[in-house]
Every structure is written in C-alpha cells, then in structure tokens.
Amino acid sequence: MKILKKKANVVIIGGGISGLSIAYNLAKLGMEDVIVVEKRYLGSGSTGKCGTGIRQQFTTKEHIVLMKESVKLWEKLSEELGHDIGYKQTGYLWLIRNEEELSMFKENVKIQNEYGVPSRIISVEEALEIVPQLNPDVFIAAAFCHKDGKASPFKTINAYYEAGKKLGVEYYTYTEVKGIIVENEKIKRVITSRGNIETKKVVNAAGAGARKVGEMVGIKIPVENIRHHIMVTEPFQEFIKPMVIRGKLYFTQTDRGGIIGGIDMPETPSQPLKSRLDFLEVFARNLVKVMPILKNVNILRQWAGYYVTTKDNHPILGESEKIEGFYLATGYSGHGFMMGPVIGKLIAELIVYGKSSIPIDALKLERFERGELIYERAVIG
Ligand SMILES: Cc1cc2nc3c(=O)[nH]c(=O)nc-3n(C[C@H](O)[C@H](O)[C@H](O)COP(=O)(O)OP(=O)(O)OC[C@H]3O[C@@H](n4cnc5c(N)ncnc54)[C@H](O)[C@@H]3O)c2cc1C
C-alpha cells in the first residue's frame, strides 16, 4: 500500500465524480500536491450507481447556466482527458401527460431558451420519430432537447483518474477521513485511517458522507441521503437513444445496450442501501405502459444508491463562511453526475483564483441560514 503523504496543498474527501473532477481541474490549473482520499474505491458512492443522464432541461437560472457550461465541457471531455467516456448527445425526451403539465413545460422551455438551451415542445408524432416504439396513448406532447445526453459513469471516473494522475494528483483509496483539525477557524490537518495530512484546504466532496464530514469541523450541512432504486436489463441493439421520462419514470440504454432506468419510490432518509422488490413491480408496470414492446425483457440487476438532497434541490457549493479553507461540493439532489465537469472547473477556480468564472455564491451553504433558497422543480436524474 502506498505511504500516505504527510502534507498537501488541498485534500479532497471523496473519489466520486465531484472529487475527481475537482482534483483534475486543480492540477490542470497548476496546483501541486493535490490529494484525493476515498474510503472505498473510486466511484463506489452514488457516481457508480447513477442513471448516466446529462441534461440542461432545468427550471432555474442557476441550474440551466451551470448545466449549459457542463454540457460544453462534456462535449470535449473524452478528447481532453484522453479516454473515451461513452458520451452521447442523444437528447432527453420528456413525455407530457396532460394539459396542466403542458403549460408547465411550456414555461420551463421558455426559461431554458432564454439562457440559450435549445429545448422545445414537440408533438406526439415528432416524439415517435425519435423513439418509434413509444405508446402514443400515454402522452399528449413532449419536451425535447437534442443537446442533452448520457455518458458512462465508470469510463468517466477512470478518465478523470488517469488524467489527474498524469498531472500529479495522488489518490488514496480504502482510506477514510475520520476527523479534521481546525484552529482559529482555519483548516490545519486531516486525520485519516492511515495517518494525518497537514493542509490548509479541504474539499468536502463526500457525497452521502458529506454531513458527517461537516460535523468534523462543527458545521451542519443540511442534506438528506435518500435511497433511490434503479435497474438494468439484458442488452439489445440500441433503439432507445434519448433519456425518456414520464412523471417519475426514466429510462434509456447504456453504452453496452442494456436498458437502465428507475422510478421514484417513497423513502425516508438514511435507509440502508438495500434493494426493494416492489420497485421492480412499479417500475416494470410503468415502463411497459410507455413501451409495450419491452414486456418480455429480462432484468439483469437492480441496485440502490443515495440522492444527497437539499431542501431546494440545488447543490451546496463554495467555501464555508465559518471555516477558512473548507470547501463544499455536495447536495446535488439526484443530478450530480451531469454536473461533474462544471463543478470541477468552478471549485478549482475558486480555490486557485479565489473566484469562479461562473458565479456560484447563490449556492453557498449559508443560503439556508439566510432563507435564500432557490427551488428546482425538475428533479428526476
Ligand atoms: C439511482 C441513481 C440514479 C442517478 N441518476 C443520475 C443521472 O442520471 N444523472 C446525474 O447527473 N446524476 C444522477 N444521480 C446522482 C449522482 O449519482 C450523484 O449526484 C453524483 O454521483 C454525486 O457525486 P459525488 O462525487 O458528489 O458523490 P459520490 O459519487 O457519492 O462520491 C462521494 C465519495 O466520498 C466517499 N466518502 C464519503 N465519506 C468519506 C470519508 N469520511 N472519507 C473518505 N471518503 C469518503 C464515498 O465513499 C464516495 O465514494 C443518480 C443517483 C442515483 C442513486
């Protein structure tokens, strides 16, 4: 096992997409001695359990602007990192069930278009041109953005890891952060299961462990870990290109051809990551309603992962106002995979230059104390 370094300029807690993207971007900006500490293996948290989706169809300026930039980065990420990440711009097709939803989606599309996202409302016939096997009786129109898409979480994690390693980032897996020493409201040292690291800067990118990491410096991070269920089928030749969404159901095909998807189930916070059989029933019933052709498909595997949620469904980003050198990148509320590239870029800029190229102050932790929440309505994956 690699000997733990005793000193670092930045210690990043968490080897998911946030931590790895931040580490890579820090190294890209010339920051030396960047360490990623991960208690299990890279991608073992929510990132390796996610639904692959990448979209710009959100309802708030904050999310739309961030995701527009993230998609720009996704478009050239394979090339930049030097590894294929399985990125495909195959769109998000949101099936609209009734007139009430239609007027809401028209509003959403209007806001998205204002910020340059090319989403639009399309007819049932147009939707059938995109996915001919859809059941036309279960929707009255659709919202579509051809610039949305998907990527492989595993390939993306690997690509960030390899690119970061080339630039000097050090990774310590199976190493748990147990405590953080703060003196005079400044970060001093990180205590891990394999020794201590002296540092002035820590990034809390610990996903479902973020709340606990906050407690280590005496800060309450208002996130809840909500279990979500997902499954994958046997592979087929690709015939579902976009992410298809109807209500709380979503599905698409992975780069290996399996249909991957989930549906929201009622859950209370912090449930153990066990699968529920009733998820399969609810999911299968809804899936077959939307795509009857799938009624005999074999499900290969189901699993569960956490959405780390905030009250307003926006992430918590930036440096704490209470502890100097304590940065947060968490609380993505079910869409943190797609945000990985932009979050890495902006948090790295904040650490290196003291300012990010896209303002993220509205998403600081302190918005909860100040009662300045910004509510996102389009939560799914
Ligand atoms: C079923 C499901 C479907 C989803 N679908 C999508 C989707 O389609 N699109 C999308 O954008 N998002 C989706 N998400 C959300 C997405 O997976 C997450 O928002 C994203 O992966 C968060 O990345 P992260 O790096 O912040 O956290 P994680 O990937 O969870 O990484 C955090 C890491 O920190 C480590 N850690 C925690 N505590 C400590 C500690 N004390 N010491 C050391 N290491 C520690 C953990 O082991 C973990 O590996 C989905 C999530 C789920 C569960």
Side-chain angles (χ1 to χ4, degrees), residues 13-20 37-54 92 175-178 205-210 213 216 226 228-230 243 250 303-308 329-339 380-381:
I13 308 173
I17 188 149
S18 306
L20 295 186
V37 183
E38 164 55 53
K39 71 175 173 184
R40 293 183 69 214
Y41 54 90
L42 302 179
S44 60
S46 298
T47 303
K49 301 187 171 97
C50 86
T52 76
I54 298 165
Y92 256 61
T175 307
E176 184 171 356
V177 171
K178 300 274 196 187
V213 169
M216 294 174 192
I226 307 291
H228 272 254
H229 303 271
I230 183 163
M243 180 73 79
Y250 68 93
W303 65 95
Y306 290 121
Y307 275 22
V308 181
T330 190
Y332 301 102
S333 307
H335 35 263
F337 175 62
M338 60 183 84
M339 294 200 159
I380 178 88

Side-chain angles (χ1 to χ4, degrees), residues 72-117:
K72 267 200 213 156
L73 298 168
W74 277 109
E75 283 170 348
K76 43 183 179 34
L77 204 59
S78 286
E79 196 187 328
E80 174 171 351
L81 301 180
H83 291 268
D84 173 42
I85 54 160
Y87 179 64
K88 286 185 183 169
Q89 234 158 359
T90 40
Y92 256 61
L93 182 66
W94 221 300
L95 307 182
I96 299 171
R97 295 173 291 185
N98 51 46
E99 291 298 332
E100 197 186 324
E101 274 191 6
L102 182 58
S103 55
M104 192 183 82
F105 274 95
K106 279 184 178 162
E107 268 306 301
N108 298 351
V109 163
K110 205 168 127 199
I111 306 169
Q112 290 152 11
N113 292 171
E114 267 169 33
Y115 291 100
V117 171

Side-chain angles (χ1 to χ4, degrees), residues 145-201:
C145 177
H146 67 280
K147 288 265 190 181
D148 292 348
K150 55 193 169 186
S152 159
F154 309 110
K155 289 182 179 171
T156 307
I157 284 286
N158 183 58
Y160 270 123
Y161 163 70
E162 291 289 353
K165 196 166 70 170
K166 247 188 180 167
L167 296 176
V169 175
E170 301 257 10
Y171 305 85
Y172 295 93
T173 52
Y174 295 96
T175 307
E176 184 171 356
V177 171
K178 300 274 196 187
I180 300 170
I181 305 299
V182 175
E183 277 173 25
N184 301 324
E185 287 154 7
K186 288 181 183 154
I187 297 286
K188 277 281 157 202
R189 166 177 335 117
V190 173
I191 300 167
T192 83
S193 53
R194 293 176 50 206
N196 300 346
I197 311 167
E198 302 292 319
T199 188
K200 288 185 177 153
K201 293 183 197 299

